[in-house]
């Protein structure tokens, strides 16, 4: 088994790392404080090819593998998880969903500008009463022959006010349960589509999270992805890949906190020597490094499974479950190593700790990941 990264992987890592450290880091504290979306920085990422990394080049993408994508998400997340979740949604939910299941016309019209970074996408599944239980959709899409009439509310939507293209999961035939759900491509500006309140969040405060409201929105029939009733399967198949992106994000948050804690421990002196020379701190760093490396291997394993067209439902769930746990635990340790300085914004680790928590919640809570894993075990 070869654990070596290819030259392409290393090039992606270096490009993402340089961008994160030189472009994202200088303004990350301000964006967090002011809940400011990184519009200019994300536009630059699109120009560099990071918004459609895995999309076929004929549709404007980079044609890269999932490992490259995970590496890029990790490096961006070390500095700014608010930016990395925008990349994750655009790449692994919206671009993937349209490329994998959309028509050629949908790909030309929507996938190309998404992959080029000219437009941003959003994935609209969660509702006030339907988060992890995706079968309980209250949003409806009534079939009117040549179009659907869409009504309902979606919340916790990443890229909510910055996106131009929205994949909306809605119920068309309630009597069929999950087999009556469809996914529709909704464009910003369609009459009756309203961007609602912005969420005031604990972490990823630079991420653009909104409630979306649909009041009698007419969506052309050609904007439905897949056959009638395919929406639930679409959501589940797409979210499996999305878990890889969030697992990589959690990994990056943990790794970023570890790097900061290691550097600080070498500079900070106590009792006549750097605190890294005290066994209490050295052992913390040893545990952190081990846990992070284990998470990285799980993330890469799930990415390889996807690239080899193997079933990656279970491996991606394992990666997200474990990496998010590591992110939460190791950011707390990073704050502890920094002592009082860890509790102030200047040293970044307090923000990483706040950002870590959401990785245990969105795109499937840790409890849902355990359901997915246990079903895989028990058949």
């Amino acid at each position: 088994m070869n654990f070596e990264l290819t030259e392409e992987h290393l090039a992606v890592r270096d490009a993402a790392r340089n961008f994160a450290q030189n472009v994202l880091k200088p303004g990350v504290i301000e964006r967090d404080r002011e809940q400011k979306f990184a519009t200019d920085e994300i536009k630059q990422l699109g120009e560099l090819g990071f918004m459609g990394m895995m999309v076929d080049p004929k549709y404007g993408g980079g044609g890269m593998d999932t490992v490259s994508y995970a590496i890029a998400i990790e490096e961006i997340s070390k500095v700014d998880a608010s930016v990395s979740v925008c990349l994750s949604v655009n790449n692994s939910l919206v671009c993937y969903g349209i490329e994998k299941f959309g028509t050629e016309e949908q790909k030309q019209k929507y996938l190309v500008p998404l992959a080029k970074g000219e437009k941003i996408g959003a994935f609209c599944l969660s509702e006030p009463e339907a988060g992890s239980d995706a079968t309980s959709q209250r949003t409806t899409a009534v079939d009117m022959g040549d179009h659907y009439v869409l009504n309902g509310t979606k919340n916790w939507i990443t890229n909510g006010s910055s996106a131009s293209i929205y994949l909306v999961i809605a119920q068309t035939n309630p009597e069929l349960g999950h087999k009556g759900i469809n996914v529709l491509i909704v464009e910003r500006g369609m009459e009756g589509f309203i961007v609602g309140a912005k969420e005031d969040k604990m972490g990823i405060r630079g991420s653009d999270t909104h409630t979306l409201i649909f009041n009698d929105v007419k969506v052309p029939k050609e904007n439905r992805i897949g056959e009638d009733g395919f929406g639930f399967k679409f959501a589940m198949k797409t979210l499996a890949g999305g878990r890889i992106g969030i697992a990589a994000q959690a990994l990056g948050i943990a790794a970023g906190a570890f790097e900061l804690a290691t550097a600080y421990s070498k500079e900070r002196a106590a009792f006549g020597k750097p605190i890294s020379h005290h066994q209490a701190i050295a052992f913390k760093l040893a545990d952190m490094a081990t846990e992070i490396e284990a998470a990285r291997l799980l993330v890469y394993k799930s990415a390889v499974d996807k690239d080899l067209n193997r079933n990656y439902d279970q491996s991606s769930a394992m990666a997200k479950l474990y990496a998010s746990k590591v992110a939460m635990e190791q950011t707390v340790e990073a704050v502890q190593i920094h002592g009082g300085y860890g509790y102030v914004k200047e040293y970044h680790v307090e923000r990483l700790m706040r950002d870590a928590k959401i990785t245990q919640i969105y795109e499937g809570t840790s409890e849902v990941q355990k359901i997915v894993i246990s079903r895989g075990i028990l058949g």
Side-chain angles (χ1 to χ4, degrees):
M1 186 177 292
N2 181 8
F3 288 93
E4 292 296 319
L5 297 177
T6 67
E7 290 187 6
E8 182 180 34
H9 294 150
L10 295 174
V12 168
R13 184 192 66 186
D14 291 345
R17 181 178 295 173
N18 289 337
F19 187 88
Q21 296 295 329
N22 297 322
V23 179
L24 293 178
K25 192 171 184 177
V28 66
I29 293 175
E30 178 186 359
R31 290 193 298 274
D32 175 77
R33 182 177 61 248
E34 298 182 0
Q35 302 187 68
K36 183 181 178 182
F37 187 74
T39 303
D40 293 339
E41 292 81 359
I42 288 172
K43 182 180 179 181
Q44 292 178 57
L45 282 170
E47 293 169 352
L48 291 171
F50 284 99
M51 296 300 282
M53 295 182 67
M54 298 174 288
V55 174
D56 191 309
K58 71 179 180 180
Y59 299 118
M64 300 181 193
D65 61 12
T66 312
V67 174
S68 296
Y69 163 67
I71 289 170
I73 292 290
E74 177 186 349
E75 291 299 327
I76 298 296
S77 302
K78 287 179 180 180
V79 173
D80 193 339
S82 294
V83 169
S84 70
V85 72
C86 176
L87 294 184
S88 179
V89 168
N90 204 75
N91 275 281
S92 59
L93 296 181
V94 183
C95 283
Y96 172 80
I98 296 175
E99 183 174 25
K100 181 71 173 178
F101 303 108
T103 64
E104 184 62 28
E105 291 74 20
Q106 290 169 348
K107 293 174 187 177
Q108 292 296 337
K109 184 175 181 180
Y110 299 113
L111 180 60
V112 171
L114 287 165
K116 290 181 177 179
E118 296 169 353
K119 294 183 178 180
I120 296 174
F123 187 83
C124 309
L125 175 65
S126 294
E127 298 181 0
E129 297 181 19
S132 296
D133 182 8
T135 62
S136 300
Q137 296 292 301
R138 298 289 182 90
T139 298
T140 59
V142 178
D143 191 340
M144 302 299 289
D146 64 344
H147 68 276
Y148 290 95
V149 175
L150 187 65
N151 281 283
T153 301
K154 297 291 184 179
N155 64 347
W156 319 118
I157 304 304
T158 300
N159 303 335
S161 71
S162 299
S164 300
I165 298 166
Y166 300 78
L167 303 187
V168 182
I169 313 299
Q171 181 66 260
T172 298
N173 296 296
E175 67 278 4
L176 297 179
H178 72 277
K179 294 183 179 180
I181 295 173
N182 281 308
V183 55
L184 306 177
I185 302 174
V186 176
E187 298 179 44
R188 188 179 183 89
M190 284 184 170
E191 186 176 354
F193 175 30
I194 301 168
V195 176
K198 181 177 182 178
E199 303 295 345
D200 187 3
K201 307 186 299 293
M202 175 175 71
I204 58 166
R205 290 172 59 79
S207 173
D208 186 18
T209 310
H210 281 259
T211 294
L212 304 179
I213 302 163
F214 305 93
N215 291 327
D216 291 334
V217 180
K218 291 183 179 180
V219 183
K221 206 64 163 291
E222 59 264 27
N223 282 30
R224 186 187 72 201
I225 298 179
E227 298 297 320
D228 188 23
F230 181 66
F232 179 76
K233 286 186 178 179
F234 173 90
M236 296 302 100
K237 291 176 181 291
T238 305
L239 285 171
R243 288 195 291 261
I244 298 174
I246 301 305
Q249 180 191 45
L251 169 63
I253 292 170
F258 170 72
E259 290 176 3
L260 290 168
T262 301
Y264 179 82
S265 72
K266 294 177 180 178
E267 298 167 359
R268 175 70 170 176
F271 305 103
K273 57 185 176 182
I275 61 172
S276 60
H277 291 189
H278 294 283
Q279 189 179 77
I281 301 301
F283 278 17
K284 280 184 185 293
L285 294 172
D287 287 338
M288 291 171 74
T290 302
E291 296 281 337
I292 290 166
E293 188 62 20
R296 183 174 287 114
L297 292 174
L298 280 172
V299 172
Y300 287 3
K301 169 64 164 57
S302 64
V304 169
D305 283 346
K306 184 172 183 291
D307 287 333
L308 295 179
N309 294 315
R310 297 194 293 235
N311 186 304
Y312 55 93
D313 289 352
Q314 186 165 321
S315 62
S316 65
M318 287 180 172
K320 184 181 182 297
L321 173 67
Y322 188 73
S324 62
K325 175 177 177 288
V326 169
M328 196 68 248
E329 292 176 351
Q330 304 317 326
T331 53
V332 170
E333 287 287 55
V335 170
Q336 189 71 19
I337 290 171
H338 278 76
Y341 291 104
Y343 211 65
V344 298
K345 296 183 183 299
E346 179 185 354
Y347 285 77
H348 295 283
V349 288
E350 66 84 28
R351 185 188 73 258
L352 291 171
M353 185 177 76
R354 288 187 285 107
D355 289 347
K357 184 57 193 174
I358 192 60
T359 66
Q360 295 181 307
I361 298 172
Y362 61 12
E363 291 196 37
T365 63
S366 293
E367 291 75 17
V368 167
Q369 305 314 314
K370 290 181 181 180
I371 291 173
V372 173
I373 296 165
S374 62
R375 284 177 178 171
I377 293 169
L378 301 173

